[in-house]
Amino acid sequence: MELTDKESDILKELINIGVGKAAGVLNQITGLHIILHVPTLKITPMSEVAHHPEEGDASDLAAVYLGFEGNFSGKAGLLFPTDSAALLVSLLTGEDSIDADLDSLRVGTLTEIGNIVINGVMGSIGNVLKQHLIYTTPTYLEGKLPSLISSTIDNEEAVFLTAQTRFNVKEKDIQGEIILTFGIGSFDALINIINEQLD
Amino acid sequence: MIQTPDITVRNDVTDYIPMGIMILRDDFTVLSWNKCLEQWTGICKEDIINQDIRKHFPHFAQPMYSSRLTTIFEGGPPAIFSSQLHKYIIPSKLPTGELRIQHTVVTAVETEGDSSLALFAVQDVSDFSKRMQDYFMVSKALKQSNEELESFTYSVSHDLKAPLRAINGFSGILEKKLKDRLNGEDMELLKIIRDSVDEINHLIEDLLALSRVGRKAIKSVEINMTELAEFVAQTQSKQDAALARVKFKIEKLPPCEGDPGLIRQIYTNLITNAVKFSIDETEPVIEIGSCTIAGDTVYTVADNGIGFDMQYVEKIFGVFQRLSRAEKFPGTGVGLAIVKRIVERHGGKVWAEGEVGKGAKIFFTLGKQAS
């Protein structure tokens, strides 16, 4: 699916508004100064993602996902390499990390962080485009990229949107990815709504 | 009350759920408060339903809660309040007097009106949270004392070397100076002093090597284990002519991911050991192979030497633990301890099997296997 520059800019802006709001919420909760950036946005058909998994597919990832349904449907997730996820949790909670693994307590914290970021993004898309969506409860998943993707959506006609996300906390940069997967026709529906609403 | 065509359930079903359940309207009025919350807080339904939650729990007015709840009242995605970032959302005391640690999920429930209701599901995670905190503290203390012990071993070993050099040097000078005046027994005594110093030096070198293995940062790359094992066997054979008698059988081994220098050290130590304990056999054979156990690749080094009694198997990998006489089989008893430490630093396991007079076989796994 080819996007015009304008459509791509609007999508990026919607995600940026969302992560900006999420950063505000995280600042309120932790009392820290957290900056969130989304420097790049990439749209890939699922068939390409499934056959050519991105580099680094062998490393373990920690992901928080929630599903959405409405005029466009799919799943929204926030993914980190497991050690970056553990570092982010340690920075935000101020608790020393003993190892790079995520225990259940830290999984709960990461799920809330993912929840806040995804809610920011989905909230911004829903509000600006005046769309009412129904959501599932966020769930935590751990695994390698191909298995995480196939567990979120298994249709080759789906569209996969990735937005690189940088958390800047206590002078440390932690990189993750916001991933939105759209079911058949849903991404077209989203783009049509963008064009209708914002023309 | 729930009604289906055939069944009517008396009471509030949320009273049967072992979690705190609360429903708020968009003006923060409590519409539902289950028995679990009554028990936790001591606040009865009658005293809180139809009242503003902020009267009882003022923190709900703070933006970090109110802004996220506003999104819920607008029908937005569920919100999670985790136990590490919030500790609790409905403050309530445990019988011990400590506050109950909670993990809460708030979901929007659609109504026929414009706004949604906020359904709170509050889970008590105090017990788990306390056990994790205890575990963190114990792990932290253990890590710290291990580091201290490591650094103590390193500095003591290092500091011992200087006086040893002095003993060795001065006894050498004495030997030279007094050569003509000393009798055979005196010379023998001096030799014992210098041999003992050599022995302590070897022990210290091995201890330092063991300490370095624990401190060295691991740089993981894919390793061709067949080439590595062949290289170590060839190098050792070149260094010691006596090894010409030893027959090495090296199978094709699966690759692994690990630190090449450290993995080479594993083979060096295992082969050195295997040679030492089999060299006196009529036909010494060292077999290097691999197998799969419960899905894990296991690398093996076996010899047909003196073997060992399995009742002492636990001692094999300990520091300075020796199952054989030092006069016959020289060594400090640190080689296998180094192997164990390298394997563990790679997230693997090491174990041994043997039988007296029939040889020994060492097995090891490495955490990551190259695909």
Side-chain angles (χ1 to χ4, degrees):
Chain A
M1 162 111 208
E2 286 292 317
L3 289 188
T4 63
D5 286 349
K6 188 182 165 199
E7 288 163 346
S8 175
D9 285 348
I10 290 170
L11 255 182
K12 201 169 159 186
E13 185 56 25
L14 286 175
I15 293 175
N16 261 314
I17 293 172
V19 296
K21 200 175 166 200
V25 175
L26 285 171
N27 289 350
Q28 280 171 352
I29 294 174
T30 60
L32 297 167
H33 184 56
I34 300 159
I35 303 167
L36 268 163
H37 299 284
V38 177
T40 62
L41 187 74
K42 205 164 99 187
I43 291 140
T44 327
M46 190 56 116
S47 50
E48 258 178 54
V49 178
H51 296 145
H52 305 285
E54 308 230 339
E55 55 180 288
D57 59 318
S59 58
D60 281 324
L61 299 172
V64 181
Y65 265 100
L66 65 77
F68 54 87
E69 263 182 46
N71 287 335
F72 45 89
S73 304
K75 288 201 172 165
L78 179 66
L79 275 77
F80 294 99
T82 316
D83 46 356
S84 304
L87 175 64
L88 180 65
V89 171
S90 299
L91 287 172
L92 294 191
T93 57
E95 289 188 11
D96 275 352
S97 142
I98 301 298
D99 46 47
D101 288 335
L102 287 160
D103 56 69
S104 305
L105 272 188
R106 293 199 280 173
V107 162
T109 312
L110 189 74
T111 310
E112 178 169 0
I113 297 165
N115 173 230
I116 290 168
V117 174
I118 298 164
N119 286 12
V121 172
M122 292 315 296
S124 135
I125 293 176
N127 285 344
V128 176
L129 303 179
K130 300 186 184 71
Q131 294 298 306
H132 177 65
L133 300 168
I134 295 170
Y135 301 93
T136 61
T137 308
T139 44
Y140 174 80
L141 295 167
E142 220 170 86
K144 303 197 187 304
L145 189 63
S147 67
L148 284 179
I149 292 170
S150 60
S151 65
T152 59
I153 218 151
D154 59 0
N155 197 308
E156 289 224 341
E157 288 173 53
V159 173
F160 189 75
L161 183 150
T162 49
Q164 201 186 70
T165 314
R166 280 201 197 132
F167 284 74
N168 185 279
V169 196
K170 293 182 183 167
E171 294 169 352
K172 286 206 164 66
D173 258 330
I174 293 157
Q175 200 163 303
E177 300 264 4
I178 292 174
I179 292 190
L180 302 177
T181 43
F182 294 89
I184 313 169
S186 272
F187 190 65
D188 294 339
L190 170 71
I191 298 304
N192 288 339
I193 293 166
I194 287 180
N195 287 325
E196 279 168 23
Q197 298 269 345
L198 304 174
D199 258 352
Chain B
M1 199 177 283
I2 287 182
Q3 277 191 301
T4 68
D6 304 319
I7 307 165
T8 301
V9 178
R10 287 201 187 90
N11 304 323
D12 181 351
V13 280
T14 65
D15 284 342
Y16 299 94
I17 302 173
M19 288 175 89
I21 305 285
M22 169 175 79
I23 298 178
L24 286 190
R25 201 166 60 199
D26 63 345
D27 59 357
F28 288 80
T29 301
V30 180
L31 299 187
S32 180
W33 182 261
N34 79 338
K35 268 215 169 88
C36 180
L37 286 177
E38 285 188 321
Q39 284 164 4
W40 285 359
T41 59
I43 303 172
C44 305
K45 291 176 196 259
E46 301 81 63
D47 294 335
I48 197 164
I49 285 180
N50 288 328
Q51 289 196 18
D52 192 319
I53 187 79
R54 291 169 293 194
K55 276 190 197 158
H56 293 269
F57 302 109
H59 64 275
F60 276 90
Q62 290 171 15
M64 62 187 267
Y65 296 104
S66 61
S67 67
R68 292 177 74 190
L69 290 177
T70 305
T71 312
I72 299 281
F73 295 134
E74 288 166 357
I80 288 178
F81 295 88
S82 64
S83 62
Q84 268 190 313
L85 291 177
H86 302 271
K87 303 288 180 218
Y88 39 78
I89 198 157
I90 308 278
S92 62
K93 279 188 181 167
L94 290 162
T96 57
E98 290 169 331
L99 282 163
R100 190 171 262 108
I101 308 294
Q102 300 161 350
H103 180 88
T104 304
V105 180
V106 189
T107 317
V109 179
E110 280 192 64
T111 63
E112 285 168 356
D114 286 341
S115 62
S116 294
L117 303 175
L119 169 68
F120 287 68
V122 190
Q123 194 185 350
D124 179 353
V125 293
S126 314
D127 190 36
F128 178 71
S129 179
K130 170 124 187 18
R131 266 184 284 144
M132 287 307 297
Q133 294 301 341
D134 290 348
Y135 164 76
F136 283 149
M137 280 170 68
V138 172
S139 305
K140 207 173 164 182
L142 188 65
K143 195 175 169 218
Q144 198 179 342
S145 65
N146 273 340
E147 280 169 5
E148 281 168 11
L149 190 64
E150 191 82 36
S151 127
F152 175 76
T153 312
Y154 187 81
S155 55
V156 165
S157 310
H158 201 262
D159 294 350
L160 276 176
K161 288 180 86 172
L164 279 175
R165 265 198 306 274
I167 297 174
N168 210 13
F170 289 124
S171 50
I173 295 170
L174 267 182
E175 193 180 343
K176 262 188 201 165
K177 273 190 167 180
L178 304 173
K179 203 163 55 180
D180 303 334
R181 281 187 270 164
L182 293 179
N183 63 26
E185 195 189 338
D186 297 336
M187 289 296 276
E188 186 59 26
L189 289 173
L190 263 180
K191 188 176 178 300
I192 292 173
I193 292 176
R194 298 187 68 187
D195 286 351
S196 302
V197 169
D198 276 348
E199 200 178 318
I200 299 175
N201 256 326
H202 281 133
L203 283 171
I204 289 174
E205 281 304 328
D206 284 350
L207 266 182
L208 283 171
L210 182 68
S211 174
R212 271 193 291 269
V213 165
R215 300 150 83 95
K216 186 178 184 284
I218 288 187
K219 287 178 188 154
S220 259
V221 293
E222 187 174 331
I223 299 171
N224 182 329
M225 293 289 268
T226 318
E227 280 180 11
L228 183 72
E230 282 169 353
F231 173 78
V232 174
Q234 281 166 10
T235 313
Q236 299 225 357
S237 302
K238 274 181 204 160
Q239 285 169 352
D240 187 351
L243 264 69
R245 295 183 57 245
V246 179
K247 186 173 180 187
F248 282 98
K249 289 185 182 172
I250 302 176
E251 286 175 19
K252 189 170 172 5
L253 306 170
C256 80
E257 264 187 43
D259 186 298
L262 292 177
I263 306 290
R264 189 170 65 224
Q265 186 73 51
I266 293 180
Y267 276 121
T268 306
N269 291 14
L270 292 183
I271 292 173
T272 307
N273 253 24
V275 166
K276 184 165 52 181
F277 296 117
S278 63
I279 195 81
D280 292 339
E281 302 298 319
T282 6
E283 286 180 8
V285 179
I286 294 173
E287 291 178 82
I288 298 174
S290 69
C291 57
T292 307
I293 300 176
D296 288 330
T297 301
V298 181
Y299 299 94
T300 57
V301 176
D303 65 66
N304 62 343
I306 60 162
F308 64 90
D309 189 333
M310 280 298 277
Q311 67 170 310
Y312 303 116
V313 70
E314 296 297 323
K315 288 187 164 187
I316 280 188
F317 296 99
V319 182
F320 299 141
Q321 297 283 352
R322 301 172 48 91
L323 301 186
S324 50
R325 290 196 323 276
E327 312 86 72
K328 198 166 179 206
F329 300 101
T332 57
V334 177
L336 286 180
I338 290 178
V339 168
K340 183 170 188 263
R341 191 168 291 189
I342 296 175
V343 166
E344 284 174 351
R345 287 210 62 200
H346 282 79
K349 282 185 296 188
V350 61
W351 67 99
E353 283 177 9
E355 199 181 329
V356 177
K358 292 196 173 169
K361 191 169 185 177
I362 309 289
F363 302 76
F364 67 93
T365 63
L366 296 161
K368 280 184 184 170
Q369 271 136 36
S371 48

